[in-house]
Amino acid sequence: MGSRSKYAAIHDALHRWYLEHGRHDLPWRQTRDPYKIYLSEIMLQQTQVATVLERFYFPFLERFPTLKHVADASEEAVLKAWEGLGYYSRARNLYQTAKLTGGELPRSAEELERLPGIGRSTARAIACFAYGEPLPILDANVRRILYRFFRRRKATERELWSMAERLFERERAYDYNQAMMDLGATLCTPKGPDCARCPLAAECRGGERPERYPEPKKRQKVPVRKRQILLHTQNGRWALVRSGRRFHGGLWHFPQTREAGGETLGQERQRYSHFTLEAEVLRVSRLPAGVEAEYFTPEEIGALPLGGIDRKILSVYVR
């Protein structure tokens, strides 16, 4: 007997719940366009649905209505459209994928997973939602449900995928995967889960103490990096450097250093995922040796993809 027989009752309950309470109005659920689904999956990595909807999804599609438009653009233009969304490796991978595929995504999860920045769960989500391939996914919401449903405090990646396969309903794969994501986002939340309304409650082994599952991660102290950000002008043009590092690669920045002399203009602070940057903004008569800068007018700078703290500096200090 397969999992369909074992979990038939809760599959039906989950499906009824999804039909009534699912987030059917999300724009990427109004289409089977693989590019629009792919874009939503990439944007939603590390970013809340509300943020993506309010500020990024529609403007990006307006600028790049198809993946072919992404492939035909410059990486700098793609990064500019991504500006403010953070985790810029996602935009670089999107651009590389567009180039590699010529703007046309492959149709199977196996092929999708070979592309830059598309992991196993994202590949399966695209293949399921765009092409109907019946495969389970394993995003953060689904993981939390599985930990609780099977009453596991810890699990390896392999074990989590095994649990996902065991609970999966192939016959209504699209609705099942969307329902599991919605369930984790609205009822089976990290804190204060609403178990009384959960369609999986009848079989959920962790339902008596859901907040025990999974085991909480130890909070790591976020380090603080202290830097000086240098403002230097030549003939009304301002010095910028382009980051070649993995972090913020391809973005433009005002030069940074650890120690320089100059006129202090202010203090700025920017929080990133793995550290907090505390910066003293200095006006300097010359840049330190070894800094290879290019010079731009304020209008030209506004058209370049900038890091978060650099956008602040542009608005506050550059005239």
Side-chain angles (χ1 to χ4, degrees), residues 263-274:
E263 176 191 357
T264 299
L265 301 179
Q267 305 286 334
E268 295 295 337
R269 180 183 176 93
Q270 180 75 31
R271 294 187 65 180
Y272 297 100
S273 57
H274 301 300

Side-chain angles (χ1 to χ4, degrees), residues 152-169:
R152 295 289 298 271
R153 300 206 77 202
K154 296 181 179 180
T156 65
E157 195 73 5
R158 183 175 181 178
E159 288 170 335
L160 282 165
W161 276 112
S162 177
M163 290 187 281
E165 294 282 356
R166 285 164 61 190
L167 188 57
F168 184 57
E169 184 189 13

Side-chain angles (χ1 to χ4, degrees), residues 41-310:
E41 290 291 328
I42 297 300
M43 283 189 167
L44 290 168
Q45 293 171 359
Q46 310 291 339
T47 309
Q48 296 292 321
V49 169
T51 302
V52 169
L53 279 176
E54 289 167 10
R55 297 173 50 199
F56 297 102
Y57 184 71
F58 294 111
F60 196 95
L61 282 176
E62 186 174 346
R63 176 67 178 83
F64 304 107
T66 69
L67 193 59
K68 184 66 165 59
H69 286 87
V70 177
D72 291 341
S74 67
E75 183 182 71
E76 192 167 90
V78 174
L79 288 169
K80 181 63 179 177
W82 201 270
E83 188 180 72
L85 190 53
Y87 297 93
Y88 288 93
S89 62
R90 296 180 294 175
R92 295 193 297 273
N93 287 331
L94 172 68
Y95 182 69
Q96 290 173 28
T97 289
K99 286 289 191 184
L100 286 170
T101 62
E104 186 171 344
L105 289 169
R107 298 181 63 87
S108 74
E110 184 179 357
E111 294 174 287
L112 286 161
E113 197 175 343
R114 299 192 188 112
L115 295 169
I118 300 182
R120 187 178 183 184
S121 184
T122 300
R124 287 172 166 226
I126 299 166
C128 179
F129 302 149
Y131 305 125
E133 191 171 4
L135 295 168
I137 62 173
L138 201 57
D139 78 344
N141 285 321
V142 175
R143 286 169 184 266
R144 185 168 56 256
I145 294 170
L146 294 173
Y147 275 115
R148 290 170 173 173
F149 187 86
F150 291 103
R151 201 167 60 193
R152 295 289 298 271
R153 300 206 77 202
K154 296 181 179 180
T156 65
E157 195 73 5
R158 183 175 181 178
E159 288 170 335
L160 282 165
W161 276 112
S162 177
M163 290 187 281
E165 294 282 356
R166 285 164 61 190
L167 188 57
F168 184 57
E169 184 189 13
R170 295 180 60 87
E171 291 79 4
R172 295 179 289 207
Y174 181 101
D175 284 2
Y176 171 88
N177 282 331
Q178 300 285 17
M180 288 288 280
M181 290 192 294
D182 288 356
L183 193 66
T186 61
L187 294 187
C188 195
T189 50
K191 295 181 180 179
D194 191 350
C195 297
R197 297 172 56 208
C198 179
L200 305 184
E203 296 279 351
C204 181
R205 295 174 60 196
E208 290 184 4
R209 300 184 64 187
E211 291 185 355
R212 280 180 51 83
Y213 312 100
E215 182 178 73
K217 293 181 180 179
K218 292 182 179 178
R219 282 195 171 187
Q220 295 184 339
K221 188 175 181 181
V222 179
V224 174
R225 297 181 186 176
K226 295 185 180 292
R227 296 289 189 272
Q228 292 175 325
I229 295 179
L230 310 180
L231 300 186
H232 181 249
T233 59
Q234 287 184 0
N235 301 318
R237 304 171 77 85
W238 299 72
L240 293 181
V241 296
R242 194 174 191 187
S243 176
R245 297 171 297 168
R246 183 177 176 184
F247 176 72
H248 274 185
L251 300 186
W252 290 88
H253 305 272
F254 293 96
Q256 293 185 16
T257 187
R258 292 179 185 272
E259 188 174 349
E263 176 191 357
T264 299
L265 301 179
Q267 305 286 334
E268 295 295 337
R269 180 183 176 93
Q270 180 75 31
R271 294 187 65 180
Y272 297 100
S273 57
H274 301 300
F275 68 94
T276 296
L277 177 62
E278 291 184 352
E280 179 185 17
V281 183
L282 298 179
R283 187 192 308 276
V284 297
S285 58
R286 61 182 180 181
L287 295 174
V291 175
E292 297 182 4
E294 296 183 40
Y295 290 81
F296 302 91
T297 66
E299 292 75 18
E300 290 170 336
I301 295 173
L304 296 173
L306 302 174
I309 199 164
D310 302 280

